[in-house]
Amino acid sequence: MDNPSDDFSGYIMQLPDDCLLFIFQHLDCGSDRESFGLTCRRWLHIQNLNRRSLQFQCSFTMLNFSSLSQTNTRISTLHLYRLLNRFQNLESLSLSGCTKLPDSGLSLLPRHGSKLQSLHLDCCFGITDSGLSCVASGCSLLVILSLYRCNVTDYGLEALSNSCLALEDLNLSYCSRISDYGVRAISQNCHRLRAIRISYCRNLTGAGFQGCSQTLTHLEANYSINVGFAAKLRVLNFRSSRTIGDDCIMTIAKGCPSLQEWNLAICHEVKIAGWESIASHCHNLKTLHVNRCRNLCDRGLQVLRTGCKHLSILYITRSSQISGVALENFKLARGNVEVKEEETREEKLSSQSIQFGFPGTDVLLTRPPLETLFPVQLDGNARQLCPLHTSIKLRIISCNVFFP
């Protein structure tokens, strides 16, 4: 007598691919999805076609605890070729941390990148304009692109601006070879551009943002840059911009009436004229970061107290320039404003920082500024490069910082 389970198994195998795909998409548990692909080659193919995101263990786009004991993997062009052939419906791809990846590694994107909406190439030092041209020609649906520390120039940005018209979020931090010309191409052609990060791009003056898309609402830079003509800006991050002065502050305060959050933490050159301009013109400002601003004094705090009528959160650190009386007067006069002394990781607007403790203490690891690379030894495991976007607490055994 035949085993009923064998008949049932036969019925399952006769289901068309559409039905199997429907079943796979309703599996909530990750282990069930992995088991699905282990059943047979046909089911594995269905699993592969349904994969939407891919990142490697060496990637630091998001924290992967299992990667802390792994060495930095060298992803080869052949390795990437096989994976892109296998997963042909990817919408998100992170190659961040693949420091040895050459331009040729992106040559398959014109064939297999048509559905990509998010691409992270952080610290892919081998990626130049040639690789960015592959991205431009193959990934027309890109919404998010991070080129943090890539060796691209204005030519690559121009190619990108002509093809990736759906781009909304672009990270160009540490792309030291770009200029206002490349930024102008992006800001004028990508009409959906919402956020751009240009910290440590020393050749930029802000002229590239003239005539920028009206959708641009978020800008991050760490040096003096004139963006007073970006009237729709709502979030502006100048954290650690030690060169930005009163003239720039006054221009932005008058020209960006929609600003709702402004991070001026550690901006030491902002003085009384700058604070007065913020108080007088930033009527929609809700959150202001002034932590560790050396030239914020009692008078500056007083003008902020009388202005910025919609302010709801003020980040401020006690200093020798600000008396306890002035701070208490601010709290009494503006009882609706929440005064905070320290920022959490999320509240620093993606600022890059790292805090170290002595061996044997707890430490908060966040993404460091990559003038340095931080090898960390964890309980005797191999050293691991740790430029992380997400904060974690670790017990440090030993820690060395190298300055190349």
Side-chain angles (χ1 to χ4, degrees), residues 66-125:
S66 64
S67 71
L68 291 177
S69 61
Q70 302 291 327
T71 55
N72 195 14
T73 308
R74 299 182 65 175
I75 304 300
S76 67
T77 299
L78 179 60
H79 187 194
L80 189 57
Y81 173 85
R82 290 173 176 172
L83 288 172
L84 291 179
N85 269 317
R86 178 180 174 185
F87 308 120
Q88 298 185 13
N89 292 318
L90 291 177
E91 296 176 359
S92 176
L93 174 63
S94 175
L95 299 172
S96 297
C98 300
T99 57
K100 303 298 183 181
L101 184 70
D103 286 327
S104 58
L106 304 180
S107 60
L108 271 185
L109 290 182
R111 288 178 53 195
H112 298 305
S114 61
K115 297 182 180 180
L116 275 181
Q117 299 179 29
S118 175
L119 177 62
H120 292 264
L121 298 172
D122 300 48
C123 295
C124 293
F125 305 131

Side-chain angles (χ1 to χ4, degrees), residues 40 74 197 209 241 336 350:
C40 62
R74 299 182 65 175
R197 295 160 180 82
F209 291 102
S241 179
N336 60 323
S350 302

Side-chain angles (χ1 to χ4, degrees), residues 18-151:
D18 289 346
C19 291
L20 291 175
L21 179 60
F22 182 81
I23 294 172
F24 178 82
Q25 290 174 343
H26 283 75
L27 296 176
D28 296 327
C29 179
S31 60
D32 289 343
R33 286 173 169 254
E34 293 302 322
S35 298
F36 182 98
L38 295 174
T39 304
C40 62
R41 290 183 179 275
R42 180 184 170 213
W43 288 29
L44 177 62
H45 178 67
I46 291 172
Q47 182 194 55
N48 292 340
L49 291 179
N50 201 63
R51 184 176 290 275
R52 296 292 180 263
S53 63
L54 177 66
Q55 78 169 43
F56 299 95
Q57 275 204 322
C58 63
S59 173
F60 44 79
T61 302
M62 63 180 66
L63 178 62
N64 182 351
F65 285 98
S66 64
S67 71
L68 291 177
S69 61
Q70 302 291 327
T71 55
N72 195 14
T73 308
R74 299 182 65 175
I75 304 300
S76 67
T77 299
L78 179 60
H79 187 194
L80 189 57
Y81 173 85
R82 290 173 176 172
L83 288 172
L84 291 179
N85 269 317
R86 178 180 174 185
F87 308 120
Q88 298 185 13
N89 292 318
L90 291 177
E91 296 176 359
S92 176
L93 174 63
S94 175
L95 299 172
S96 297
C98 300
T99 57
K100 303 298 183 181
L101 184 70
D103 286 327
S104 58
L106 304 180
S107 60
L108 271 185
L109 290 182
R111 288 178 53 195
H112 298 305
S114 61
K115 297 182 180 180
L116 275 181
Q117 299 179 29
S118 175
L119 177 62
H120 292 264
L121 298 172
D122 300 48
C123 295
C124 293
F125 305 131
I127 299 302
T128 67
D129 291 338
S130 177
L132 194 54
S133 296
C134 294
V135 174
S137 60
C139 308
S140 60
L141 298 181
L142 267 187
V143 175
I144 299 172
L145 176 62
S146 182
L147 298 172
Y148 183 90
R149 275 245 170 175
C150 289
N151 288 307

